[in-house]
Amino acid sequence: MTRLLPQAVDPVLPPSVTSQARDLGPLESPLLWLAFAGAAAAVLAVTIALAHRRRVRRWGINGSIALFLIAAVTAVNSYVGYVRTPSDLGRLLQRGSGAMNVAGTLLRSTSDDPAEDSDPSTADSSSGGKSGSSPTSARPAAPSGANGSTEVLNVPDPAHGVQNGENYVVLPAGYHDPANAAKRYPVVYLIHGYPYGGPRDWLTSGSAPQTLKSLEDANVIQPMIIVSVDLTANRPSTDWECLNVPGGPQLETYLASSIVPSVDKHYRTFADRGHRALGGMSGGGFGALNIGLHHLDEFGTLLISLPYDDLNDSVGVLGGNQAAIAANTPRRYIPTMPFPQKIAVMLTVGTGAPTDVATAHRIAGSLQRRGQEVVVHAERGFNHTWHTARATLPYMLAFADQNFRTAPASS
C-alpha cells in the first residue's frame, strides 16, 4: 500500500485566510435580529400605550408580530449562517414563485456582492467543453479573469434517476489563460447538506470561491478546481443522504460514474485518485465518507465537515433493506473493510457541538486502527452549522493540497 503522506497534519494557515472564512456576513450579524426585536418591543409598547385607539391597536399588533417574526428568522440565520448577504437572500427567494421570485431578482440586481459577478445562475445557455458528444454541457458564468470563474456543468443521468444535475465548477485564477492551456489541475468535490440543500450552497453559505481565492493569494495552495455537486435528484426536500436508493435515484453511482468522468472530460484535470478529494458538510459529509470509502480507487482524500457515520433517522430512505443499511453504515463496516489503497481523511467540527466532536474522534480512531491517515480539526465555539463548514473549508482545501502535492504526476 502506498502512503499519501508520511503523516497527515492539520495545516497552519495565515490570519488573512482564516479571518475571511470566519467573518460574519451583513445578514448574519446578531445586531440585525436584536434591532428587529427592539423595534418589535417598541411598537408593542406604543400599541399598549395607545390601546384605546382601535386603528392604532390593530396596526400596532400586526406590526409587532411581523417584526418579532423577522427577528426570529434573523436570529436563526445568525446561528446557522445560511444567508450571508443580500445576494444570498435573493438566491433563496428566487427558489420561490410570484412575488418572492420578483423580490429575489430585485435584490440580486441591486447587490454589490463581488460574488455576483461570477454567479453561474446568470449565465446564458452557450455551451462549453467538447461539443456534440453528449447532453452534458458546461455553461460559463461570466468572462474569466485573474480571479477565476464559476461555471455550471449540467450532467443529466436518467438511467440513474437524475433528470438534470447542475454542478457548479469553480475554476482557479488563470485557468482560461492561453499560457496555461497545457496545465492540469487537481479537483475537490463538495457535497451539500440535506434536506433542502443544493449545489449553490457551497458557493454562498460555504464561500468556496472566496476561500479558494484567499488561499491562492496567500500562496498556501497550488491552483485547484472545486466542484459543488448536485445530489438532490431534483427533489431537494428529500433526505437522500447521497445513497443508491432502492427503487429511487442512484446518487452514489451518479457521482462516481457520471459526474467525475464528466468533469474529467470537460476540464483539464489530473484524472486519478491521488489528485481527487471528496468532501461535504453534515448529510453531504456522511455521503462523502460513505462514497469515498466505497470508491477508494477514485478518491485519495476525504474532507468531512460536521460528520456522522450512521444513517439514524434517515435510514427509512433505504426502505428497510438490511443489506443496504449495513453496506451504507460506515460505523459498522470500517472495522472490517479492506483498504487496498490508503486514504487521508480530515474531519472538522465545532467545539460547541459535542456530539460532532465525539463522532469525529470515533471515526478517526476507527480509521486509524485500519492504518489510515486522519486529522480532526476543531473550531472553538462553533456548532453544527454552516459557520463551521465555512470556517473549516480553508483547512480542508489546504489538507487536500498537501495530498495532491505528494501524489505522483498523472495525465
Side-chain angles (χ1 to χ4, degrees):
M1 290 187 283
T2 302
R3 295 179 70 88
L4 293 174
L5 287 170
Q7 184 177 7
V9 295
D10 192 354
V12 177
L13 302 180
S16 61
V17 172
T18 57
S19 61
Q20 178 270 328
R22 291 170 180 153
D23 284 349
L24 298 181
L27 296 187
E28 297 175 296
S29 172
L31 296 177
L32 191 63
W33 72 264
L34 288 171
F36 279 114
V43 170
L44 183 60
V46 172
T47 302
I48 293 172
L50 301 176
H52 59 284
R53 301 176 63 174
R54 181 176 300 177
R55 180 173 294 181
V56 172
R57 184 171 68 244
R58 183 172 65 249
W59 282 99
I61 291 173
N62 290 336
S64 61
I65 290 174
L67 288 168
F68 273 123
L69 288 174
I70 295 173
V73 170
T74 53
V76 170
N77 184 64
S78 178
Y79 175 78
V80 174
Y82 188 68
V83 180
R84 299 175 306 145
T85 66
S87 179
D88 289 355
L89 179 59
R91 290 185 185 89
L92 185 62
L93 293 175
Q94 281 186 315
R95 296 182 185 179
S97 58
M100 286 181 63
N101 187 277
V102 171
T105 302
L106 289 173
L107 266 176
R108 295 186 62 188
S109 66
T110 58
S111 172
D112 58 359
D113 185 351
E116 199 71 20
D117 296 335
S118 61
D119 182 3
S121 64
T122 62
D124 59 30
S125 59
S126 61
S127 63
K130 300 180 181 179
S131 61
S133 58
S134 75
T136 304
S137 64
R139 193 167 73 239
S144 308
N147 295 333
S149 61
T150 302
E151 299 183 356
V152 178
L153 181 67
N154 185 25
V155 185
D157 187 359
H160 291 113
V162 180
Q163 300 303 318
N164 180 57
E166 291 197 335
N167 306 280
Y168 288 72
V169 182
V170 183
L171 299 172
Y175 178 86
H176 288 297
D177 187 331
N180 296 324
K183 186 173 183 177
R184 293 186 176 273
Y185 300 83
V187 185
V188 173
Y189 293 85
L190 296 176
I191 309 175
H192 52 79
Y194 289 97
Y196 296 104
R200 292 183 185 178
D201 291 350
W202 275 108
L203 276 65
T204 55
S205 310
S207 194
Q210 296 91 331
T211 298
L212 180 63
K213 182 179 184 302
S214 68
L215 286 165
E216 289 179 343
D217 289 349
N219 295 314
V220 173
I221 65 171
Q222 295 179 339
M224 63 176 64
I225 296 171
I226 296 176
V227 181
S228 183
V229 301
D230 183 355
L231 295 190
T232 65
N234 310 116
R235 286 171 56 186
S237 61
T238 302
D239 194 356
W240 297 118
E241 298 288 337
C242 314
L243 297 167
N244 281 346
V245 179
Q250 306 298 289
L251 293 174
E252 175 181 328
T253 302
Y254 171 62
L255 172 60
S257 302
S258 295
I259 294 178
V260 170
S262 294
V263 170
D264 288 338
K265 177 181 178 181
H266 282 81
Y267 298 95
R268 300 191 309 276
T269 67
F270 288 111
D272 62 80
R273 71 180 299 271
H275 293 91
R276 287 197 202 106
L278 178 60
M281 64 86 68
S282 193
F286 171 84
L289 178 66
N290 192 43
I291 294 173
L293 293 176
H294 288 171
H295 296 270
L296 295 174
D297 59 329
E298 289 196 61
F299 304 101
T301 304
L302 301 183
L303 312 168
I304 317 300
S305 185
L306 319 181
Y308 55 93
D309 54 358
D310 196 304
L311 286 166
N312 297 318
D313 294 339
S314 303
V315 71
V317 75
L318 293 176
N321 185 319
Q322 294 302 310
I325 293 170
N328 291 285
T329 304
R331 187 174 183 177
R332 293 195 203 176
Y333 66 69
I334 289 175
T336 57
M337 70 172 285
F339 283 90
Q341 295 165 295
K342 290 188 73 67
I343 196 160
V345 182
M346 171 171 270
L347 301 140
T348 70
V349 295
T351 59
T355 299
D356 284 2
V357 175
T359 300
H361 285 287
R362 182 178 67 237
I363 296 171
S366 185
L367 287 167
Q368 286 167 342
R369 284 189 289 274
R370 303 293 296 152
Q372 308 310 303
E373 301 287 356
V374 189
V375 166
V376 176
H377 175 88
E379 284 288 307
R380 186 168 300 279
F382 284 82
N383 299 288
H384 191 98
T385 67
W386 268 107
H387 287 306
T388 305
R390 186 193 317 155
T392 60
L393 181 60
Y395 293 93
M396 294 195 293
L397 295 181
F399 180 81
D401 179 70
Q402 291 176 355
N403 292 285
F404 296 156
R405 289 173 187 261
T406 62
S410 174
S411 62

